[in-house]
Structures are given as structure tokens and as C-alpha cells.
Amino acid sequence: MGNFILMPKLGMTMTDGKIIKWLKNIGDDVEKGDYVFEVETDKTSLEVDALYDGKLLKIFFDEGETAPINYPVGYIGAEGEEIPPLPEMENAPAAETETKAAPAAAAPKAAPKKEAKPKKKIDMSKFDYELLVIGAGPGGYVAAIRAAQLGAKVAIVECDEVGGTCLNRGCIPTKALYTSAKVFGKLKHCADYGLSVSGAGFDWKKIMERKDGIVKQLTTGVAGLLKKNGVTIIKGRAKITDANTVEVDLNGTKTKHSAGYIMIATGTQPISVLKNVDKAVKINTTDDILAMQTLPKSMVIVGGGVIGVEIANIMSSFDVDVTILELMPTIIPMVDAEISTMLKSKLVAKGVKILNEVTANTIKKDGKDNVLELSNGETIKCEYILEAVGRGVVSDAFADMKLSTSPRGFITVDESMCSSVDSIYAIGDVTGGYMLAHEASEQGIIAVETMFGEAPTGEMLIPSCIFTEPEISFVGKTEQQAKDAGIPAKSFKFPFAANGKALTLGESDGFVKVVVDERYGEILGVHIIGPEASSLIHEAVMAMNLEATAQSAGHVVHAHPTLSEALMEAFLGASTGAIHM
Ligand code: FAD
């Protein structure tokens, strides 16, 4: 039985290739390693070699024709052999190193956003501003600064403090508390380092003051940056009244502002799904936690997602008795299964109770306590309830505009972040997606560079980090996700226990897992649980962005002793072999 010659995937973003020249003719003998055809992609052109010996029996795509990746372009077999029929185009076989003539699963494709609409020339002289941004979170303020750097006349409307959820009620304040929790944990375990400290304790008020100080420093810095870049800050609540006009309400005084482009960056707010809650019961959000003046003795966290586990980690560090209720069978269900299991065991070891596939059916008040009747029949009491089940769009700014949205109300945008109305763009959490600060910022940059500069190209890889102990980070696909998408994937796991620096830090729990496409060594995903996971992941993002293979990334020299050697070893393990395992 012969073999199809497949159009190879020569880069992460390659979807098809054009046959420039056949280097063998039908009937020619072919030896493994012989060049058989020349291909041109959007980035390169090169010669493709044969993976098998035999005769070139059939050419399916002539010179000048384009074939999708992993689809047969020719057939090598024995003289007189019957050539099998071509698979359906949409069921192109997933190529193997030695591809047999048998159909297999389709090659995966990322669900792309709609292609950007062609840019129209706008007469900006008619408007007060070239760009008016609504919302000064990490999406909006970064977009405003970049647009100003590109020479645009920009205003930004904010009804609260600049910095948005990220600086005021999200990333930064939670990480300030996380750091206090981590340092306190180190103090408690200082004997492990041969140290002794007496009277280690904490002052919640001072921890909160430290957090507030960091937030203030950063929000002041952002306001200064906006000013320095010539961005006009308009205080008040904005509402878009037509495709180029925004009305701003500041304590009842309304002003109108026109702009060639309007950008919606209004973010999200906590949502609630709890039912049958007694009126006397207070259901708290993360906004409440971050303003909490005293620590409760006990806390139930409804939702075992990223925010739920981060808060559980912080609270349990300060001896709050924490219970997580999670509807799904695992906590942080979106991450690699082994990582989720490991985090669960770490939280449990800190005293956190985790109840999976459980929710609260009713919540009542009994004196000072809240009483939760759970779906598993149990009843638990606690002093404080945090609901962290997700966030919904802040929509008043665009409520009258009939923009196209998803069923959950997130604004639908194209590749350049343009909404269904040509002059209105939307970025950040209000468009859904990963709902992370760095995604919002990057989307803002893409949008304004499309408006005022060169539209950026290329895929946007978004790393995710979870600030627990140990930290978690990931980018790309898990092995399971890759396999579900029909990719022959394999993974390699390098433990921090085999990394010298992690041992010296006393933080050797965890691992780096690299997922690769078995055929080409393409890095499909990297998943880390361990020390400084949130910093280490960027090496993986860089490698994937630059389309390095696991082998080439593994051959990058890493200084010793460093945590990043664990990444190098994991890349090597997924290709030519790890050294220290
Ligand atoms: P936002 O930051 O929400 O900013 C929107 C702004 O618009 C707000 O300032 C709001 O006041 C303003 N606004 C809304 N409507 C109007 C209107 N009509 N007129 C005028 N102004 C308006 N992400 C990470 O990447 N890393 C983390 O560690 C992380 N931790 C988090 C922890 C918590 C507890 C939470 C809640 C979130 C966390 N996030 C984290 C998510 C991150 O905060 C968001 O992804 C990010 O802030 C979204 O940015 P944005 O610009 O889209 O919106």
C-alpha cells in the first residue's frame, strides 16, 4: 500500500500552500528524502521532500494550484497499484510522519473573527475628536495613549477612577493581597529555611492600606500618562446617541461630544445566579472583598473559577475557614486536568473545603450566620458569602445603538475590533473572550492601529495566569483540546522537583507541561503550575509566536540555575529528550 504526499504545514498560521513546481514526473522513481515539489506559502517558499520510497503515481494538484494543509497533493506507491480515492476536502487527513492512505480527522482551525471591514476615509474636521474612548480600564486607557502617539486627537470618558476594574477592583488589588498572603506563608514556614521568627502575625488593616497605596500609585500614574500624551479626560457617564456622538452626564449636567470613531471599553460587572436568598443575607462580590475592613471567621465562595480560587488562597492564608462550592466536577475547569487536581490538593492542604457538583439551593439568616442548604443535602453555616460566578457587560453606554451582540450581550466585533456600526469599535471585557487585562490592552492597540496606522497582522496568543500557591499559567491548547481538534498531540512534563533553582527557593511543587504536534514538533500549548509560573509563561508565548518548534526552543541556552531551565527541559523532553530526567 502506497502513501499520499500531503501538503505540509510549514508554519503555525499556514492554512494552504501553492504548488510552484513539481520536481518529479509521474512514473519517476522517488527515494525517501528526494525533493518532490516546491511550495509557496504566505511567508516562504521551499522544496518538500518525500517521506517514502516508490513511484510517483499521481499528481492531484498541478503547478499553480493551491492545496490545503494536510491534504493529498500526490501519491507514491508501487507500479500498477490502485490509487485510493481522495478524501473529502473538509475531511483532509491529519498528516502523520508516515501518512498512510487512510482518511483521518480534519485539521483544526481556530474560529476566526470576521475579517476586518475595509477602512473608509473619514473627514475628521467635522468632529470634536478623532477618537472618543468610553471607559479608562486597561483596554480604554492603553488605546487612548496609543492613538495619541499615532497623532490622533483623543478624549476618554470615565465615570469612576481611571484604571478600570484591573487597577481599582481586580488584578492589582488582588495581587497586592496575594503577595501579603504569600509572604505571611513564608514567615510561617521560615523554619524550612533554617530561620526563626517569633510572633509572626498580620494586621489586615495595614494589608489593605498597602493594597490601597499601590492602587493609588498606579491610577495616578495612568492619569499622568493620559495627560502627558495629550488625551482629554472627560469625567462622567457616557451614552452613545448616534454613530458619531456621545452624551456625557456628570451629576446631571449633560454635554455632547462628537468623534470620527467611538470606542466602547466599558468592561463588565459581577453577575449573580443565586436563588432563594433571604433578604437579610448579604451576597458579596469581589468589589466587596476588596473593600473589606475586617476578616470574617468563615467564608463560602460560590464559584471555583479563577477568581474563586485566588480569593480562597488569600483568605485561607489568613486563617479564614473557606468552603468553595463549584457546580462543575473540577475547580478551574478550563485548565489542564492535572493542574486543576494539583491545585485542589494544595488548597485542601491549606484547609479549604472544596465541594464539586454542588450549589446552594437556599440561603437564610440565623442570627449572625448565613445558613446555606446545598444541592447535596448538606447544610453549612458561614459568616461571609462571596459569589464569584462570572461577569456581565456594562451596557448603558451603548444600550440605544442596537449593536450586534452575542446571546450573553457581549459586543460582536471583527478582526480589527469594529462593531456592526462602522464608526464604533469595542474592546476588552465588553467583547467577551478571555476577559483579561492584557487582552483588553492588545485589542485596544489593534483597533487604534487599524484606525490611525498600519493594521497589525498575525495571531494573538493570550496567556492566562492564576495567582494561587503554586501559581498557574498556560497558553494554547491542552493535550486533550488538541486531540479533540483532531491533532495527533503528545505532551511532556518536567517537574520543578528536578530544577535546582526551585529547590533552593523551597518551591519545588509543580511542573511544566509542553504539548506538541507529533508530526512537526509545533508547540501547541504550555501549561505550568509552580513557582513564578506567571512570569515563566512568556517564554512559551514568545516561542509560539515566533513559531519555534519544541526542539528549537529546547536548544535555546538558558542560564543556570534558573526556573526557566524547567521550560527548556520540557521543550527538550517533548522533542529530543530532557537531560535532567
Ligand atoms: P474595565 O477594566 O472593566 O474598565 C471599564 C471602565 O469603563 C471602568 O473604569 C468603568 O468605570 C468605565 N465605564 C463603564 N461604563 C461607563 C460609561 N457609561 N461611561 C463612562 N465610563 C464607563 N485580569 C488579568 O489579566 N489578570 C488578573 O490577575 C486579573 N485579576 C482579576 C481579579 C478580579 C477580582 C477581577 C474582577 C478581574 C480580574 N482580571 C484580571 C480581569 C481584568 O480586570 C479585566 O479583564 C480588565 O479590567 C478588563 O479591562 P477593560 O478595559 O475591558 O474593562
Side-chain angles (χ1 to χ4, degrees):
M1 188 178 174
N3 298 279
F4 283 126
I5 309 167
L6 302 183
M7 174 60 71
K9 187 177 178 193
L10 301 168
M12 203 166 74
T13 53
M14 177 177 169
T15 53
D16 51 36
K18 185 166 158 192
I19 309 268
I20 298 298
K21 191 172 173 39
W22 278 98
L23 304 171
K24 297 276 179 191
N25 295 311
I26 291 180
D28 281 357
D29 287 327
V30 179
E31 276 184 29
K32 186 176 170 184
D34 284 354
Y35 291 126
V36 272
F37 66 96
E38 238 178 82
V39 64
E40 184 185 84
T41 73
D42 55 341
K43 289 197 178 137
T44 184
S45 66
L46 47 81
E47 290 159 339
V48 177
D49 54 343
L51 297 173
Y52 324 96
D53 297 331
K55 261 191 194 315
L56 180 61
L57 298 181
K58 182 86 184 165
I59 286 174
F60 298 115
F61 286 80
D62 288 328
E63 291 173 2
E65 289 186 323
T66 297
I69 55 161
N70 299 332
Y71 195 74
V73 295
Y75 189 81
I76 295 175
E79 183 114 48
E81 183 185 325
E82 197 180 321
I83 298 162
L86 275 178
E88 290 292 316
M89 194 64 105
E90 57 275 23
N91 290 324
E96 294 163 20
T97 329
E98 294 193 27
T99 308
K100 297 283 170 233
K109 268 193 188 156
K113 280 185 179 151
K114 252 174 49 192
E115 218 171 279
K117 297 173 212 168
K119 213 167 79 176
K120 286 189 193 145
K121 190 105 190 91
I122 300 175
D123 176 9
M124 291 291 181
S125 63
K126 296 192 295 191
F127 304 112
D128 300 333
Y129 301 99
E130 284 166 76
L131 170 67
L132 188 143
V133 181
I134 307 175
Y141 85 72
V142 168
I145 290 173
R146 184 73 190 121
Q149 285 173 349
L150 291 169
K153 188 179 179 201
V154 187
I156 190 162
V157 190
E158 174 55 60
C159 58
D160 200 340
E161 294 292 332
V162 295
T165 306
C166 170
L167 262 52
N168 296 290
R169 299 171 297 279
C171 324
I172 296 299
T174 49
K175 266 81 257 179
L177 299 184
Y178 163 74
T179 306
S180 293
K182 207 172 160 186
V183 174
F184 186 46
K186 286 267 182 225
L187 279 182
K188 286 198 266 190
H189 295 110
C190 68
D192 297 349
Y193 299 83
L195 307 172
S196 58
V197 172
S198 59
F202 66 90
D203 180 337
W204 181 250
K205 198 165 160 268
K206 291 212 169 106
I207 290 171
M208 293 297 264
E209 278 169 11
R210 174 178 182 273
K211 173 212 66 154
D212 293 340
I214 295 165
V215 169
K216 185 84 201 145
Q217 188 175 340
L218 287 171
T219 52
T220 309
V222 167
L225 280 175
L226 286 167
K227 210 168 150 198
K228 188 180 120 191
N229 282 281
V231 176
T232 304
I233 303 177
I234 303 171
K235 277 270 162 211
R237 190 123 208 137
K239 195 175 183 71
I240 306 174
T241 53
D242 66 45
N244 296 97
T245 313
V246 172
E247 185 182 86
V248 180
D249 184 340
L250 179 64
N251 306 322
T253 306
K254 292 185 179 166
T255 48
K256 280 203 180 223
H257 308 266
S258 64
Y261 292 112
I262 295 170
M263 179 181 285
I264 304 167
T266 53
T268 54
Q269 58 197 355
I271 54 164
S272 176
V273 295
L274 286 169
K275 292 197 172 72
N276 305 320
V277 181
D278 206 282
K279 275 208 179 86
V281 172
K282 166 117 173 76
I283 303 292
N284 297 282
T285 65
T286 47
D287 295 358
D288 300 311
I289 286 261
L290 293 168
M292 195 163 69
Q293 290 309 306
T294 52
L295 279 175
K297 286 208 163 29
S298 55
M299 179 180 289
V300 167
I301 300 177
V302 183
V306 174
I307 290 175
V309 297
E310 285 194 4
I311 301 289
N313 176 65
I314 295 167
M315 290 296 132
S316 59
S317 301
F318 296 119
D319 304 325
V320 177
D321 180 7
V322 179
T323 304
I324 296 178
L325 308 182
E326 168 55 53
L327 255 184
M328 302 293 283
T330 57
I331 52 166
I332 41 169
M334 75 300 276
V335 310
D336 173 270
E338 265 187 283
I339 289 182
S340 163
T341 306
M342 184 165 182
L343 180 68
K344 184 171 180 175
S345 70
K346 287 280 163 195
L347 286 171
V348 169
K350 281 184 88 173
V352 177
K353 290 181 225 48
I354 300 177
L355 303 178
N356 285 107
E357 297 181 87
V358 169
T359 188
N361 283 345
T362 63
I363 309 178
K364 295 191 177 116
K365 202 84 192 165
D366 179 12
K368 276 191 167 175
D369 281 334
N370 302 295
V371 184
L372 295 93
E373 280 172 17
L374 307 184
S375 54
N376 64 357
E378 276 181 54
T379 300
I380 47 174
K381 284 188 174 183
C382 69
E383 193 181 326
Y384 194 96
I385 299 172
L386 166 68
E387 188 176 12
V389 293
R391 297 174 67 88
V393 290
V394 179
S395 60
D396 58 316
F398 58 93
D400 296 342
M401 287 308 295
K402 295 197 171 55
L403 299 180
S404 162
T405 60
S406 74
R408 285 183 56 200
F410 294 107
I411 300 175
T412 312
V413 286
D414 67 17
E415 278 174 350
S416 66
M417 311 310 296
C418 187
S419 76
S420 51
V421 175
D422 283 0
S423 57
I424 301 180
Y425 283 63
I427 57 157
D429 280 13
V430 77
T431 64
Y434 289 88
M435 296 181 38
L436 292 167
H438 43 284
E439 184 190 35
S441 301
E442 185 57 24
Q443 289 177 339
I445 290 171
I446 289 172
V448 298
E449 289 192 348
T450 307
M451 293 169 195
F452 305 112
E454 248 337 275
T457 54
E459 244 179 296
M460 186 168 47
L461 277 170
I462 305 286
S464 299
C465 301
I466 307 178
F467 295 83
T468 43
E469 292 168 278
E471 285 184 5
I472 292 168
S473 60
F474 52 97
V475 61
K477 292 182 170 61
T478 62
E479 189 177 350
Q480 192 55 50
Q481 286 165 344
K483 285 182 173 159
D484 290 347
I487 305 174
K490 64 173 186 179
S491 67
F492 181 84
K493 207 169 74 177
F494 187 83
F496 280 108
N499 174 270
K501 180 69 186 284
L503 288 170
T504 65
L505 290 172
E507 295 183 41
S508 57
D509 287 338
F511 54 82
V512 177
K513 191 187 272 188
V514 170
V515 182
V516 292
D517 184 322
E518 281 190 287
R519 300 163 295 183
Y520 322 109
E522 179 187 348
I523 306 164
L524 301 171
V526 175
H527 308 266
I528 308 176
I529 179 164
E532 292 300 328
S534 62
S535 297
L536 292 177
I537 195 66
H538 299 97
E539 177 172 343
V541 181
M542 182 74 88
M544 289 170 76
N545 252 318
L546 298 180
E547 302 186 16
T549 59
Q551 186 177 351
S552 59
H555 281 286
V556 173
V557 178
H558 287 62
H560 176 75
T562 57
L563 293 170
S564 56
E565 285 174 293
L567 264 151
M568 175 185 73
E569 291 278 7
F571 286 133
L572 284 175
S575 52
T576 51
I579 303 296
H580 292 92
M581 245 186 97

